[in-house]
Amino acid sequence: ALSMSKQQDNLVSRIALKVLPRVARGKVTPAQIEGMIQSEGKVHIEKMWQNLAYLGDVAVVSPLLGLLGTVLGIVNAFHYFKGGSIHPGVLTQGLAKSMVNTVFGLIVAVTCLVFYSFFRGKVSDATSRAESAAAEMAAALSR
């Protein structure tokens, strides 16, 4: 089992590489085996969720940055108000800048949300498969 785990790079093999040597060293109760497997699995699964959280954070922050650019563009457009008249060229430049910021903020947010949803499904699937494999591993090692 140890040599098979060394040949693969996945969540279950990483857990096995941590747990199997401890079990081989001495007498370990089934409760301790289960605890070691759960503890090691939790560490790896939390890393996956943390990495996914960064993508979610970008999806949340990017529309806010787009909105900030929008407001700054509009402020810039109306900054050149002179004597009650607006210069159409300056106004147009500022409004265009604000719309570009809005568009890019939304493009980044939507793209991140699509990938976030995709990877959230992958992490959830990996978590449930790892939990199932860990339960089998604990049962096998407890025998």
Side-chain angles (χ1 to χ4, degrees):
L2 195 57
S3 67
M4 283 179 56
S5 295
K6 287 179 181 177
Q7 293 172 6
Q8 301 177 25
D9 184 28
N10 58 47
L11 181 58
V12 175
S13 64
R14 280 183 241 135
I15 294 169
L17 286 172
K18 289 285 189 171
V19 173
L20 288 174
R22 293 179 193 168
V23 171
R25 270 189 247 136
K27 294 184 180 183
V28 183
T29 67
Q32 290 173 324
I33 292 171
E34 189 174 332
M36 287 188 291
I37 290 171
Q38 286 179 353
S39 172
E40 191 62 33
K42 185 178 178 183
V43 167
H44 291 291
I45 289 170
E46 283 179 1
K47 283 181 189 175
M48 288 191 302
W49 282 109
Q50 182 60 48
N51 289 336
L52 189 59
Y54 295 136
L55 187 59
D57 292 343
V58 171
V60 169
V61 170
S62 58
L64 297 174
L65 291 174
L67 181 61
L68 176 64
T70 301
V71 170
L72 292 174
I74 291 172
V75 167
N76 187 34
F78 289 103
H79 178 70
Y80 294 100
F81 229 153
K82 293 183 181 168
S85 66
I86 300 175
H87 298 287
V90 174
L91 180 62
T92 305
Q93 276 182 332
L95 293 177
K97 189 185 301 182
S98 70
M99 292 299 108
V100 167
N101 283 304
T102 303
V103 167
F104 280 115
L106 291 174
I107 287 172
V108 171
V110 169
T111 304
C112 286
L113 282 175
V114 167
F115 281 108
Y116 178 82
S117 295
F118 175 77
F119 288 121
R120 184 183 61 209
K122 292 286 190 187
V123 170
S124 292
D125 183 51
T127 299
S128 50
R129 282 187 288 119
E131 287 173 352
S132 174
E136 289 179 32
M137 186 187 317
L141 290 173
S142 296
R143 287 186 222 132

